Amino acid sequence: MTRRIFIDKQSPKAYHALVQTSEAVRATAAEAGLGRTLIELVNLRVSQLNGCAFCLDVHTKAALREGDTARRLGVLAAWRDTELFTPQERAALALAEVTTLTTDADAQEAAYARAREVFTDDQVSAVVWAAVTINAFNRVSIMSKHPVR
């Protein structure tokens, strides 16, 4: 296997810009009234969809620190089949999924409509930005083959 370059280390200015974007998104979510637990669920679900082991490790720890439970995190991949998630969390997870998997226009419309029912415009924007940002981090870690230690 070809040795991978850790692109975050190779191009620190670009990576720092992504970190700054992430910090701005976190602040935007907080200003919109979204809790950190919901944002960590978005981070985890997107990372599951992308198969990013490094980000799954980081954000599982973060979610647990924020007070989420191992039970909920354990069933996150099947969130539609359990009542452990609130209507807002369900809407955020659906919106995160269609932000990540953009090919199904009907699913995208349905998820967006559901999100508009339970979120303000600022909250919808924050959830989409959270999904966009973790998607970018997933690509950095996947392409760099960041190890889970």
Side-chain angles (χ1 to χ4, degrees), residues 47 50-59 138 141-142 146-148:
S47 297
N50 289 324
C52 184
F54 184 83
C55 292
L56 284 166
D57 184 53
V58 167
H59 292 287
N138 287 168
S141 290
I142 290 166
H146 287 152
V148 175

Side-chain angles (χ1 to χ4, degrees), residues 15-114:
Y15 184 72
H16 182 67
L18 184 56
V19 169
Q20 286 182 309
T21 299
S22 176
E23 290 167 356
V25 168
R26 196 170 319 145
T28 296
E31 290 166 8
L34 297 176
R36 184 70 185 265
T37 300
L38 183 140
I39 298 302
E40 290 305 336
L41 288 174
V42 167
N43 290 336
L44 282 166
R45 185 63 189 128
V46 170
S47 297
Q48 286 175 336
L49 293 171
N50 289 324
C52 184
F54 184 83
C55 292
L56 284 166
D57 184 53
V58 167
H59 292 287
T60 296
K61 291 172 186 172
L64 291 169
R65 273 194 312 272
E66 291 299 320
D68 216 327
T69 66
R71 182 178 185 212
R72 281 172 30 106
L73 300 182
V75 298
L76 181 58
W79 63 268
R80 286 178 179 84
D81 300 325
T82 176
E83 297 300 318
L84 296 177
F85 300 96
T86 69
Q88 275 196 328
E89 289 168 338
R90 291 171 164 293
L93 292 167
L95 194 55
E97 286 180 356
V98 299
T99 301
T100 302
L101 308 170
T102 60
T103 57
D104 187 340
D106 291 336
Q108 191 178 89
E109 285 301 318
Y112 202 88
R114 185 175 319 118

